[in-house]
Amino acid sequence: MTLPADPLCHSAQSRVSPWLAPVMYTLGEKVILPAYFSQIEITGQENIPQDGPVVLAPTHQSRWDPLLVGLIGKQAGRYLRFMVTADECLGIQGWFIRRLGGFPVHVRKPSVQTLRHGVQLLQAGEMMVIYPEGNIYRDRIHPLKPGLARIALRAERSRPHLHVKIVPISLKYSELCPRWLGTVTVRIGKPISVAEYKAGEGKLRSKQLTADLQAALTNLADVSE
């Protein structure tokens, strides 16, 4: 049975279903991930803030990534809000994504509504997931898109003492295309404080924040080699 496309999937809105989220997070942690991977190694879990506005910034290598990042959130006692590409937010997949905190973005031309929604989520103290590369790349870390830094800086500047944190995360699978009983290594870096970048000209600070995040992700990936 195929559910019709969710009409809300075309708008910049998101919510976390109070009944579906606990079920799916537990199912992913206890059943799906252990059944597929022979080993999941996570280091740096202590770097995930347990409260306040946070952007998790993982590398993006597989469709398994959201489940693994969700596991990180669950271990920190938090549900996540995902910024996903528009084509991921269709059909039955979109039905689940929308009710698990996901909202769509057009990577090449993000809408004002999408960026505003991301800012609002951070203002509300949510933990949001943005894949800074903008797409799946299996070979290496590609240049990061500017949207993550723009959202984080806009939120930080909108409210005194908001203290937005960006957490770099490296995901490394034993094969380029994850296979059954393969392994995965997750490296969580130290949070980047967005407040340190809010002074000065906006575009320059956004570029510097993006460059520093790129360097942090590259360092984490090198450790995983």
Side-chain angles (χ1 to χ4, degrees):
M1 177 180 178
T2 301
L3 295 176
D6 188 344
L8 290 178
C9 238
H10 299 289
S11 63
Q13 302 176 16
S14 66
R15 65 187 180 92
V16 175
S17 168
W19 66 269
L20 184 62
V23 171
M24 295 304 296
Y25 273 63
T26 300
L27 190 63
E29 178 188 28
K30 303 295 186 181
V31 180
I32 299 175
L33 289 172
Y36 193 83
F37 294 102
S38 62
Q39 180 181 348
I40 300 174
E41 179 188 355
I42 300 177
T43 60
Q45 179 69 42
E46 69 278 3
N47 291 325
I48 302 294
Q50 295 187 347
D51 53 37
V54 179
V55 182
L56 301 184
T59 55
H60 202 9
Q61 297 184 337
S62 165
R63 298 294 184 186
W64 286 97
D65 298 349
L67 278 177
L68 290 163
V69 177
L71 175 61
I72 293 170
K74 187 176 187 301
Q75 291 182 353
R78 304 185 68 172
Y79 292 127
L80 308 179
R81 301 299 187 102
F82 287 85
M83 180 180 285
V84 302
T85 56
D87 60 349
E88 291 180 284
C89 204
L90 299 173
I92 190 168
Q93 175 179 268
W95 187 91
F96 279 97
I97 286 174
R98 175 63 64 184
R99 288 154 182 83
L100 294 173
F103 61 101
V105 59
H106 293 276
V107 176
R108 293 183 180 179
K109 193 176 182 181
S111 68
V112 173
Q113 290 83 0
T114 298
L115 298 178
R116 183 181 297 123
H117 185 58
V119 171
Q120 291 170 343
L121 290 174
L122 293 177
Q123 290 172 335
E126 298 282 355
M127 180 176 282
M128 185 165 54
V129 180
I130 301 179
Y131 296 101
E133 295 169 280
N135 213 330
I136 291 178
Y137 296 104
R138 303 186 193 279
D139 55 343
R140 57 186 174 83
I141 299 177
H142 282 237
L144 307 187
K145 304 294 184 183
L148 188 156
R150 290 175 182 173
I151 290 173
L153 280 168
R154 190 172 299 179
E156 187 67 42
R157 287 170 170 166
S158 71
R159 189 168 298 174
H161 312 299
L162 188 59
H163 301 303
V164 177
K165 305 294 184 184
I166 299 175
V167 180
I169 300 173
S170 171
L171 303 172
K172 183 72 173 181
Y173 299 91
S174 52
E175 296 85 17
L176 286 180
C177 186
R179 297 180 181 179
W180 182 51
L181 297 183
T183 64
V184 57
T185 301
V186 182
R187 298 278 185 263
I188 305 170
K190 292 187 178 300
I192 297 172
S193 176
V194 179
E196 297 179 6
Y197 297 82
K198 70 176 183 178
E201 201 278 322
K203 289 185 178 180
L204 291 178
R205 304 310 291 164
S206 178
K207 287 182 178 179
Q208 185 61 56
L209 177 53
T210 301
D212 289 350
L213 176 58
Q214 178 106 36
L217 288 170
T218 300
N219 289 338
L220 288 172
D222 289 343
V223 171
S224 300
E225 295 294 339

